[in-house]
Amino acid sequence: MLTRNFKNVAVATVFGVLSGCSGGVLDPKGQVGADEKYLIILSTVLMLLVVIPVILLTLYFAWKYRDGREHEVYMPKWSHSKKIEIVVWFIPILIIAILATITWQSTQALDPYKKLTHEKDHLTIEVVSLNWKWLFIYPDQGIASVNEVVFPTGVPVEFKITSDTTMNSFFIPQLGSQIYSMAGMTTKLHLIADEPGSFEGISANYSGAGFTGMKFKAIATPAQSGFDQWVKQRKACDQVLTPASYQALAEPSKNNVVQYYSQVSEGLFQQVVMKYMHDNPDTAHPHSMDHLAQAQPRVEESL
């Protein structure tokens, strides 16, 4: 009876733990997310090759040499074993070498700034983190949305990300990597959804009182036509994102609802980036850094 109860508890625990993976990094819906899931599992298995034997041997030695085991061999002058030295040094070094190789290769392959290899062109979406909401600007479509980003399934997306407030972290767990959004800088992230659906997007970096409500929906439409239809609907909205309406939007607010804008002032994203660089003398001498390389002529009208 005790064994059966233990088995039921163990099975329930396993299912309970695995059910928590739904909707997270272990339930990827895109190429980048799938590659990262494989990397997480492989790294965990390699590290467990050391951790599990250490735990088991600790328990074994504690049991073997417990009080009262007077028949065990007593070797007070024992001090060295080549076999043990080889095992405790060679295996960890080998695992670290393998992990280092995998880390190097995956760092290159999953570089968030690197465009995805795909037959279709990338869809560009500009992202601005605000207190406490996400603004998504579609420069080619001329529309914008708050706390909702939509793109077609099977089309790579290039996110250009900045912040008009403190540092945040742009993260869609089921699609892949997270990357920071920082004022006065532009970071990039390339993702793709291989399956249609609605995925949770969050800020993975605490940013103040309204942080818990700083979430958005990332919706992958089944086909390009669905995305085109969504753009058409957004263009029929009444709201327009001008510098004045942007200032109102940028005011701190919590638990914001989804909003849409049928038009966006040209260059608004760059104006947000340059807003924090006007007094920076380095902007006059662009270097290799991405945020400086993208520096545009001084914006005359401050936001």
Side-chain angles (χ1 to χ4, degrees), residues 51-190:
V51 174
I52 291 179
V54 169
I55 294 175
L56 293 179
L57 287 175
T58 300
L59 296 174
Y60 171 72
F61 286 122
W63 173 82
K64 182 177 177 62
Y65 296 106
R66 66 189 184 277
D67 184 29
R69 301 277 288 183
E70 298 178 353
H71 60 281
E72 295 292 350
V73 178
Y74 179 56
M75 296 186 296
K77 296 184 179 180
W78 182 90
S79 61
H80 183 73
S81 170
K82 288 185 178 178
K83 293 180 180 178
I84 293 177
E85 290 291 333
I86 291 174
V87 170
V88 299
W89 284 105
F90 177 74
I91 293 179
I93 289 175
L94 178 63
I95 292 175
I96 290 174
I98 295 174
L99 285 173
T101 303
I102 294 173
T103 301
W104 169 258
Q105 293 176 340
S106 60
T107 300
Q108 303 299 316
L110 297 174
D111 180 358
Y113 281 61
K114 183 180 178 182
K115 287 199 171 187
L116 302 177
T117 302
H118 202 278
E119 60 184 7
K120 295 182 179 178
D121 293 334
H122 284 64
L123 170 67
T124 299
I125 300 177
E126 297 168 339
V127 184
V128 181
S129 62
L130 303 167
N131 280 339
W132 288 272
K133 60 193 85 74
W134 293 94
L135 171 64
F136 300 98
I137 301 173
Y138 294 73
D140 296 331
Q141 288 74 25
I143 61 173
S145 60
V146 173
N147 286 349
E148 181 181 281
V149 59
V150 179
F151 42 81
T153 299
V155 174
V157 182
E158 179 185 47
F159 292 101
K160 295 182 178 179
I161 305 165
T162 191
S163 176
D164 196 4
T165 177
T166 185
M167 185 173 71
N168 284 274
S169 178
F170 181 77
F171 190 23
I172 307 174
Q174 287 187 276
L175 297 188
S177 311
Q178 67 85 30
I179 196 163
Y180 292 114
S181 64
M182 292 171 282
M185 299 182 67
T186 301
T187 52
K188 291 183 180 180
L189 179 62
H190 293 85

Side-chain angles (χ1 to χ4, degrees), residues 123 138 140-144 148 150-152 221 224-237 260-263:
L123 170 67
Y138 294 73
D140 296 331
Q141 288 74 25
I143 61 173
E148 181 181 281
V150 179
F151 42 81
T221 61
Q224 179 68 39
S225 58
F227 174 72
D228 295 339
Q229 181 64 27
W230 181 81
V231 172
K232 184 178 180 180
Q233 293 173 350
R234 301 292 78 83
K235 284 185 172 296
C237 298
Y260 303 109
Y261 297 91
S262 59
Q263 296 180 41

Side-chain angles (χ1 to χ4, degrees), residues 204-215:
N205 189 79
Y206 180 73
S207 57
F211 166 74
T212 54
M214 194 174 176
K215 301 175 181 177

